């Protein structure tokens, strides 16, 4: 026991010392504006960590809180190396910065101007960039805001999964999310993936813990998500609609469910046809109309395989290094624990309680697989990031889930 305590104490001291040295090297080389933005966002994050540590019903474990705190520092250091070298492994990052300069010059943030300047109808991420740059007056804040959103997403993800599956599954899933190479790479750069992830997790969090008064807020956030990444927004809308009809509302006969389903579809169509979202409905219809029904159905299995295992690690020993080489760590572990997917499939078929819990997370994964399978032939690794935490959840649920024994 004494040796174990000594080992743990020594490990903690070494880890803290390493991060202090890392923090010192970051602070000693950073400019005043970058330093101010770093500490302000870190203080804001500490406020959220402290708040969640005080929760009595669903307290976030200290291990997760520390991992998020130190992870923010580590990710900030990685982001600062990119910022100072004017390098990004993603061409999209340069496009975001270039369009942001044009928006600052124009100074008009209405939807028409945003779409005209950015050249895309999925422009909501530019609002985040614009206000971050306006507040902190440094491009380094654009990295920090993304890292901050990921950190909040991890906290909210833990609470959502804890409410459904208890401590063990939520604890393991959240730690894997924090340590994931996918999240490290894609949420520490100037990319909209952090915002997509945060909006999806926030919507599900409000849906789980809110009430009928929050319907308008959820609708507004789904609209923001559609303005950020169309198929991500529609996937959340479909998942919540399905859950409301088949899990939350209890009917005595099938006819009532059919009528309610048609009513919900009618309301959604009215909203999308008579609001600013009408253009996005048209874009989605045009996208789907160009695909055959059979081809789209066949795309889903291939897309799902890529969703879970891409980028395939067959090139690990080729000696060729690419942007996604580091992400192959996740692919390797996914292949190693692929047997848990069979365990999940067995439990999903056997236990109705698991099916009711997982529909909300499976539907977005399937819709992402369909959209990415069609648009990118299943080969897009970064665009799955909004549902990647749910992919991790499936592995963990397959390994640990036991009905009525997860609390």
């Amino acid at each position: 026991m004494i040796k174990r305590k000594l080992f743990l104490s020594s490990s903690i001291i070494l880890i803290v010392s390493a991060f202090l040295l890392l923090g010192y090297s970051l602070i000693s080389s950073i400019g005043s504006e970058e330093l101010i933005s770093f500490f302000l966002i870190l203080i804001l994050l500490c406020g959220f960590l402290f708040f969640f540590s005080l929760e009595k019903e669903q307290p976030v474990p200290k291990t997760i809180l520390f991992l998020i705190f130190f992870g923010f520092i580590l990710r900030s250091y990685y982001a600062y190396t990119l910022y100072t070298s004017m390098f990004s492994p993603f061409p999209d990052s340069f496009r975001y910065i270039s369009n942001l300069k044009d928006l600052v010059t124009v100074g008009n943030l209405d939807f028409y101007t945003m779409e005209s300047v950015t050249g895309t109808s999925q422009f909501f991420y530019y609002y985040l960039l614009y206000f971050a740059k306006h507040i902190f007056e440094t491009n380094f804040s654009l990295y920090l805001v993304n890292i901050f959103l990921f950190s909040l997403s991890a906290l909210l993800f833990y609470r959502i999964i804890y409410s459904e599956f208890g401590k063990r599954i939520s604890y393991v899933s959240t730690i894997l999310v924090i340590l994931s190479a996918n999240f490290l790479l894609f949420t520490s750069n100037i990319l909209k993936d952090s915002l997509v992830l945060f909006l999806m997790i926030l919507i599900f969090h409000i849906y789980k813990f809110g009430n009928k008064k929050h319907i308008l807020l959820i609708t507004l956030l789904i609209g923001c998500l559609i303005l950020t990444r169309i198929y991500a927004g529609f996937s959340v809308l479909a998942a919540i609609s399905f859950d409301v009809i088949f899990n939350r509302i209890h009917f005595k006969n099938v006819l009532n469910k059919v009528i309610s389903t048609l009513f919900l579809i009618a309301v959604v169509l009215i909203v999308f046809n008579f609001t600013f979202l009408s253009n996005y409905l048209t874009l989605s219809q045009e996208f789907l109309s160009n695909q055959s029904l059979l081809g789209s159905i066949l795309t889903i299995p291939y897309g799902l395989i890529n969703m879970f295992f891409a980028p395939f690690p067959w090139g690990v020993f080729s000696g060729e290094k690419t942007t996604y080489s580091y992400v192959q760590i996740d692919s390797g572990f996914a292949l190693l624990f692929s047997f848990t997917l069979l365990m999940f499939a067995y439990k999903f078929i056997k236990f109705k309680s698991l099916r009711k819990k997982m529909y909300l997370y499976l539907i977005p994964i399937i819709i992402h697989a369909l959209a990415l399978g069609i648009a990118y032939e299943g080969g897009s690794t970064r665009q799955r990031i909004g549902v990647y935490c749910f992919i991790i959840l499936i592995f963990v649920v397959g390994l640990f889930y036991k009905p009525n024994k997860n609390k």
Side-chain angles (χ1 to χ4, degrees), residues 344-355:
F344 172 81
Y346 169 76
K347 294 176 182 180
F348 184 79
I349 294 171
K350 182 177 181 180
F351 301 118
K352 182 180 179 181
S353 59
L354 180 60
R355 292 198 298 274

Side-chain angles (χ1 to χ4, degrees), residues 222-242:
I222 290 176
C224 293
L225 183 56
I226 291 173
L227 287 170
T228 308
R229 184 168 282 163
I230 294 179
Y231 53 85
F234 280 113
S235 72
V236 172
L237 178 62
I240 291 178
S241 301
F242 184 93

Side-chain angles (χ1 to χ4, degrees), residues 142-369:
L142 309 183
Y143 295 91
L144 295 175
V145 167
N146 282 341
I147 299 170
F148 174 73
L149 290 181
F150 166 75
S151 302
L152 286 187
S153 300
L155 284 170
L156 298 179
F157 176 74
Y158 175 84
R159 295 191 79 241
I160 294 171
I161 305 308
Y162 184 94
S163 68
E164 293 276 23
F165 297 101
K167 185 174 181 179
R168 174 192 260 187
I169 290 178
S170 59
Y171 182 80
V172 175
S173 299
T174 305
I175 287 181
L176 292 177
V177 165
I178 295 171
L179 299 178
S180 166
N182 276 270
F183 286 116
L184 173 61
L185 179 62
F186 300 131
T187 64
S188 301
N189 279 274
I190 302 178
L191 299 168
K192 65 181 177 181
D193 301 290
S194 289
L195 181 59
V196 172
L197 172 68
F198 175 71
L199 287 174
M200 291 190 71
I201 296 296
L202 180 61
I203 291 169
F204 284 136
H205 187 273
I206 297 173
Y207 176 69
K208 284 292 182 183
F209 297 99
N211 50 48
K212 294 180 180 180
K213 296 179 181 179
H214 296 100
I215 293 177
L216 182 60
L217 178 58
I218 291 175
T219 304
L220 177 63
L221 289 172
I222 290 176
C224 293
L225 183 56
I226 291 173
L227 287 170
T228 308
R229 184 168 282 163
I230 294 179
Y231 53 85
F234 280 113
S235 72
V236 172
L237 178 62
I240 291 178
S241 301
F242 184 93
D243 191 66
V244 167
I245 294 172
F246 294 98
N247 284 338
R248 292 210 171 189
I249 301 178
H250 303 285
F251 300 103
K252 293 182 179 180
N253 55 60
V254 177
L255 180 61
N256 286 335
K257 280 196 174 185
V258 173
I259 294 174
S260 299
T261 303
L262 293 175
F263 176 76
L264 181 62
I265 293 173
V267 170
V268 170
L269 289 175
I270 290 173
V271 170
F272 277 91
N273 277 292
F274 296 97
T275 66
F276 66 91
L277 296 173
S278 59
N279 292 334
Y280 299 88
L281 183 61
T282 302
L283 286 173
S284 301
Q285 290 173 339
E286 291 176 353
F287 176 74
L288 292 174
S289 64
N290 294 327
Q291 315 300 325
S292 66
L293 178 60
L294 179 61
S296 299
I297 294 174
L298 294 177
T299 296
I300 294 177
Y302 178 70
L304 284 173
I305 293 174
N306 281 278
M307 289 283 287
F308 281 85
F309 300 109
F312 294 102
W314 314 132
V316 170
F317 302 106
S318 65
E320 181 181 355
K321 291 185 178 181
T322 66
T323 302
Y324 298 97
S325 295
Y326 180 64
V327 179
Q328 289 177 336
I329 295 174
D330 285 2
S331 298
F333 279 106
L335 287 171
L336 183 64
F337 289 94
S338 58
F339 67 92
T340 63
L341 296 179
L342 297 177
M343 296 174 65
F344 172 81
Y346 169 76
K347 294 176 182 180
F348 184 79
I349 294 171
K350 182 177 181 180
F351 301 118
K352 182 180 179 181
S353 59
L354 180 60
R355 292 198 298 274
K356 292 183 68 175
K357 292 177 180 179
M358 288 301 301
Y359 284 134
L360 194 65
Y361 314 118
L362 282 174
I363 290 174
I365 293 175
I366 293 172
I367 292 178
H368 274 69

Side-chain angles (χ1 to χ4, degrees), residues 8-21 67 70:
L8 290 174
S9 301
S10 302
S11 300
I12 292 173
I13 292 173
L14 288 173
I15 293 172
V16 172
S17 299
F19 274 99
L20 287 175
L21 289 172
L67 282 175
F70 289 122

